[in-house]
Amino acid sequence: PIVNRSVPDEAWLARWRPVAQDVVARLRRGERVLLHCRAGRGRAGLVAGLLLRDCGLGGEEAIRWVREARSGALEHRRQARFVMDYQPQLPMPIAGAPRPVEETTWAGRFVGSLLAGAAGDALGAPVEFNSHDAILVRYGRAGIIDFAPAYGRSGAITDDTQMALFTAEAMRAMPGRRAGARSPAEARAPVELPTVDDALPRLGIAYQYWLRGQGARSALTSRLDGPETAAHGYPESRLAALPAMRSRRAPGLTCLSALEHMRAFDERAINQSKGSGAVMRVAPVGLFVAGHVGEERLRTDAAALASAIDSAWTIGAASAALTHGHEAAQQCAAYLAALVMLLAAGRRAAEAELMLQQRVAQDPANAEIRRVLRDVDAACEAARRRLAAGEGRTEVHAVTLDRLGEGWTADEATAMALYCLRMAQTLEEGIVSAVNIAGDSDTVGAMAGHLLGAVYGAGAVPPRWGDGLELADIIEETALALADGSA
């Protein structure tokens, strides 16, 4: 027991640890737990705050969640301070040491996501298809940490960034771009977000432009740059004219095949592929939704935030479905789009993942992403044990990522990118870990970069990467347009 209006003592905390471990495990499985005390505000709110801290939230986030759920909870200053100062009792798999959100800016998180994603893509391009040992032999014990020549230059992007930029172009053609509220009534009105029906034909057009740049054709190629595409906001594609976007950079065979067989711009693939091409390109969907709703509403309007999560989730899944028919590919894309949206909106990584946990756990249709998240949880816990035993971070990351897979499929690539998000202590550590793998180095590097960049912001991208990156100016301009929500 905790004395009314007081805080726990050391004896209570010792009894709390096994209870917390059980309750947090239940929460992460999507179960619900009822907390109560005699009055239902002070001590119950305090324990709720401690549980949220054990789930990985920071002190301010935990207190805000509790007070949003129950008005007047944690009314005693001493109890709120205890939650703030509490050291989590459980070695939960949370982000290692992210830069505080208040040190990043709204636009910086958007630019950081696309810029770090492209940097991870370019860093991994020279070593894709190589074994981990071969990378170390060639580049030294640290692996590849700087751009190396690929596709005729250093810092070259691949099909991953090409398709991500085309996804962003499709999002910029969406209807009803945010122009800012003109009155208090408009500010309180329900947020209107484009639908999957709005997104699919625009994404189909964008990917057909990419297909044409790869030297391939479909029944839709002749309809590009015509009245049908103009009606969807595509009088012409700005990206399609860029030489780097027309260069063939080891494109995914499933993406090529599905787009070659497409008969309508909104036609979904009928294959059963779950290749990583479905998820490498989805981050701009989350950025678009965040920019469309806007910083203020995402921070203060719970209904708008819920709508934004749903929009990013459904459009992300639909974007994958255009080329990949397997449920794992679509569920991973949905999860990543929603996660990027929350990170760009300023939520810390642990908080964002916890916000998505209920949706993942309670819908029977989400079996594939639940499996992926269980794998990530187990991998992070195993890595933390090894780190606590004194093993080096580089070696632990390499071994753990190898056990998660090679990244050729959407589920493996998603698991590996999420591991880097949770375990890296810096953006650079996360991206370097992601690319020094035996497998799809550029894709895992790009995906880890999209997530880490949205957490740490553009300022955390090493200058040596930003300065030498192909299309860096185009990438930054695209990110700023998504952040603005009206371009």
Side-chain angles (χ1 to χ4, degrees), residues 3 28 41 60 64 111 162 181 184 193 266 288 292 304-305 307 362 390 418 439 466:
V3 175
R28 293 185 68 82
R41 295 180 186 272
E60 293 180 359
R64 173 164 50 80
V111 175
Q162 288 176 340
L193 282 159
D266 60 353
F288 158 75
H292 185 93
L305 180 62
S307 295
Q362 292 179 359
L418 288 174

Side-chain angles (χ1 to χ4, degrees), residues 47-305:
V47 172
L50 302 187
L51 281 170
L52 291 170
R53 295 299 312 274
D54 280 326
C55 285
L57 271 63
E60 293 180 359
E61 288 88 356
I63 291 172
R64 173 164 50 80
W65 275 40
V66 170
R67 287 176 171 166
E68 287 176 355
R70 174 95 177 183
S71 177
L74 278 170
E75 69 269 321
H76 305 305
R77 187 177 303 173
R78 185 181 176 195
Q79 292 175 332
R81 174 52 57 187
F82 191 89
V83 173
M84 287 289 295
D85 295 339
Y86 176 73
Q87 296 298 314
Q89 305 291 298
L90 309 179
M92 294 303 296
I94 60 174
R99 176 179 297 193
V101 173
E102 56 270 18
E103 293 185 10
T104 63
T105 65
W106 172 261
R109 293 191 290 273
F110 284 71
V111 175
S113 181
L114 289 192
L115 197 64
D121 178 27
L123 193 66
V127 296
E128 185 182 20
F129 310 113
N130 285 235
S131 69
H132 178 68
D133 289 341
I135 296 172
L136 299 188
V137 168
R138 183 175 180 183
Y139 294 100
R141 292 186 61 184
I144 187 168
I145 60 174
D146 293 308
F147 292 154
Y151 305 110
R153 60 158 291 165
S154 178
I157 63 169
T158 77
D159 61 315
D160 299 59
T161 299
Q162 288 176 340
M163 295 198 78
L165 287 173
F166 272 116
T167 299
E169 185 173 76
M171 295 294 97
R172 294 176 68 181
M174 293 279 267
R177 301 285 285 167
R178 175 173 59 84
R182 292 184 297 274
S183 70
E186 289 174 330
R188 293 190 297 269
V191 63
E192 293 185 8
L193 282 159
T195 66
V196 168
D197 290 339
D198 294 320
L200 273 182
R202 291 168 171 82
L203 287 164
I205 292 168
Y207 298 155
Q208 286 293 324
Y209 275 120
W210 173 80
L211 179 73
R212 188 175 70 179
Q214 302 303 298
R217 296 183 63 83
S218 75
L220 301 173
T221 303
S222 62
R223 292 156 58 182
L224 294 174
D225 302 317
E228 184 178 0
T229 57
H232 288 294
Y234 265 99
E236 61 180 349
S237 169
R238 292 174 290 179
L239 293 175
L242 300 174
M245 299 295 283
R246 300 197 307 269
S247 178
R248 199 172 175 103
R249 306 279 175 89
L253 298 180
T254 298
C255 290
L256 290 174
S257 175
L259 294 171
E260 286 172 341
H261 289 88
M262 186 181 281
R263 296 295 180 267
F265 287 121
D266 60 353
E267 182 179 68
R268 302 176 189 234
I270 58 173
N271 59 45
Q272 277 299 301
S273 173
K274 62 174 181 177
S276 58
V279 289
M280 67 187 187
R281 64 189 194 232
V282 76
V285 172
L287 297 177
F288 158 75
V289 172
H292 185 93
V293 178
E295 182 177 13
E296 180 67 18
R297 295 203 70 173
L298 287 173
R299 187 176 69 251
T300 61
D301 187 337
L305 180 62

